[in-house]
Amino acid sequence: MDNPQPTVTDARVLTLRTGEVRRQHWGGRDISTAIEKTEHQGRVFVSGSGFIGDEQGDLVHHGGLEKAVCCYPAEHYDAWRCEGRDLGPGAFGENLTLRGATEDRVHLGDVFQVGTALVQVTQPRTPCNTLSRRWADAELPRDMERLGRTGFYLRVRREGHVRAGDAFEFVSRPSGAVSVADVVRVMAAGVTDRDALRALTRAPEFPERWRRQILRRLGEQSLL
């Protein structure tokens, strides 16, 4: 896991969506979720806690300053469709659907200018069972992780306005940064690659909660 030169050179926002919490009856149970989001054509203000008008049904696992904005690469929709899963626009409940910013190109700690806002990549998205229930597809979250099609979260470093069509322009990357794709790959591998897991714990911007989880898995609680 080295630190290559930035490869996000032509990324762009294809769509911007926000959603309010609604009760849904999916998978045989009622849940409160904002995964179904409405597309916006005009500018939308993004604050430190996310886009105005966007909500989260599960505040334990979603939202907050470190997960203020959820992004998903448009390239994955093409791949899912070719494999027989035509899930439709906004299927993964993302705020921003991006073209040109896949997980192998984007690194934890990367800073981007989008519209008048400045944002920073914080972590991969962890697929949840709400996606399974929404699409009646129990394997979808596991396949997202197995295939590295998770998407990722952003924190907002400077509030501003964003709209569909805005460039997702690379600004900076911390030394020693690790790609979102590498994080997903190594975390999904369990303890089979101990050296790779240790390397993640030393990577800049790697979430502290995940670092502690890895050290427990490695039996290295003394480093907590």
Side-chain angles (χ1 to χ4, degrees):
M1 294 182 291
D2 56 6
N3 185 26
Q5 293 299 307
T7 53
V8 180
T9 57
D10 57 354
R12 190 163 297 278
V13 177
L14 291 191
T15 61
L16 188 160
R17 292 180 170 83
T18 65
E20 298 178 349
V21 174
R22 298 184 179 89
R23 294 288 291 175
Q24 304 284 1
H25 187 78
W26 293 332
R29 58 177 292 188
D30 290 325
I31 60 173
S32 294
T33 176
I35 197 170
E36 287 193 339
K37 300 186 184 297
T38 300
E39 183 175 350
H40 300 275
Q41 299 299 326
R43 297 190 309 162
V44 182
F45 185 74
V46 62
S47 71
S49 56
F51 283 103
I52 296 299
D54 196 50
E55 299 178 345
Q56 294 80 36
D58 178 0
L59 293 175
V60 174
H61 299 101
H62 302 288
L65 300 180
E66 299 302 290
K67 295 184 281 188
V69 176
C70 183
C71 300
Y72 200 75
E75 289 84 349
H76 297 338
Y77 281 100
D78 303 334
W80 292 121
R81 191 176 303 110
C82 288
E83 296 163 4
R85 280 179 166 131
D86 192 359
L87 301 175
F92 297 90
E94 71 270 20
N95 299 117
L96 300 179
T97 307
L98 302 172
R99 175 74 69 180
T102 50
E103 293 86 349
D104 57 326
R105 296 183 173 187
V106 172
H107 289 55
L108 302 193
D110 279 0
V111 176
F112 292 90
Q113 169 93 29
V114 56
T116 60
L118 200 67
V119 296
Q120 186 171 33
V121 179
T122 58
Q123 60 188 267
R125 184 221 186 123
T126 302
C128 63
N129 288 333
T130 301
L131 287 164
S132 298
R133 297 187 181 103
R134 182 185 187 187
W135 299 110
D137 187 342
E139 298 301 314
L140 183 58
R142 284 189 288 270
D143 286 345
M144 290 170 68
E145 289 190 325
R146 178 178 61 84
L147 297 168
R149 302 174 189 167
T150 60
F152 52 90
Y153 286 110
L154 308 173
R155 69 167 65 96
V156 179
R157 291 185 42 173
R158 186 181 69 219
E159 298 179 345
H161 288 88
V162 182
R163 68 185 303 164
D166 282 343
F168 193 70
E169 184 178 0
F170 178 86
V171 174
S172 66
R173 171 174 297 164
S175 176
V178 61
S179 73
V180 173
D182 275 340
V183 174
V184 174
R185 176 181 58 80
V186 174
M187 291 288 284
V191 294
T192 58
D193 191 340
R194 298 176 69 87
D195 289 340
L197 284 166
R198 287 193 190 94
L200 282 187
T201 68
R202 298 189 293 269
E205 296 297 331
F206 190 71
E208 178 63 19
R209 178 175 61 86
W210 292 8
R211 188 183 80 87
R212 291 175 175 272
Q213 177 185 328
I214 286 176
L215 292 175
R216 282 193 293 267
R217 284 162 62 179
L218 294 173
E220 298 177 4
Q221 287 89 341
S222 62
L223 298 178
L224 291 174

